[in-house]
Amino acid sequence: TREVLGNPALLALLAASGLVQATHGVVYTFGSIYWLQIGFTDVEIGALWAIGVVCEILLFLWSGAVVRRTGDYGLLMIGTLAAVLRWSLFPFEFGFFGFLLVQCLHGLTFGATYLVTQHAIARIVPEEMTASAQGIYAMITGILMAGIVALAGPLYAMLGATAFATMAIPASLAIVVLLIYRRLE
């Protein structure tokens, strides 16, 4: 693990990706409740969750070409910017089809950040250390997600739908960390 922890560029990448992954905490805990409150049916809510997964799978399907075109940094920045956009838009009531489009961003906010992180670990870390790097990434993401989920209830109680928009803050922080990563790489 010293090889992983002693690599500031890799740690910056893992931190940026972990921050973006953690921004999903409020939607994972209160997304369905919010959609019920604004009048969506159970079937519509199921479709909203499903479309995000479909977009994620489509990204994974074309991941080789996408990563070759954008590089690790480019795709992670796209996923991070998509998180800022997704959470900034989420509090608005767009209707079902509007939310369907917003949920398509999950392919980038979750899929791109996860994909790039795994790709970067495979590229940067010696093969015998990849499990350690993935474990450190899981720990970083888990700690950040736990913190956001712990805040989700009070945020949602206090701010309602605006709680989703607060997730643009850690996503924006991830942009700063990515800029640091770029200088270290």
Side-chain angles (χ1 to χ4, degrees), residues 26 34 87 90-91 155-156 158-167:
V26 177
Y34 172 62
W87 306 128
F90 212 88
L155 282 172
Y156 194 77
M158 186 173 36
L159 303 173
T162 304
F164 300 109
T166 66
M167 293 301 98

Side-chain angles (χ1 to χ4, degrees), residues 27-41:
V27 78
Y28 288 167
T29 51
F30 288 97
S32 294
I33 293 168
Y34 172 62
W35 289 324
L36 276 172
Q37 288 174 339
I38 62 173
F40 292 157
T41 67

Side-chain angles (χ1 to χ4, degrees), residues 54-64 66 75 107-108 111-112 115:
V54 168
C55 291
E56 180 185 323
I57 290 168
L58 289 173
L59 177 68
F60 289 163
L61 182 64
W62 295 308
S63 64
V66 172
L75 188 54
L108 296 172
L115 171 73

Side-chain angles (χ1 to χ4, degrees), residues 142-156:
I143 289 169
L144 292 169
M145 179 71 81
I148 286 179
V149 168
L151 293 172
L155 282 172
Y156 194 77

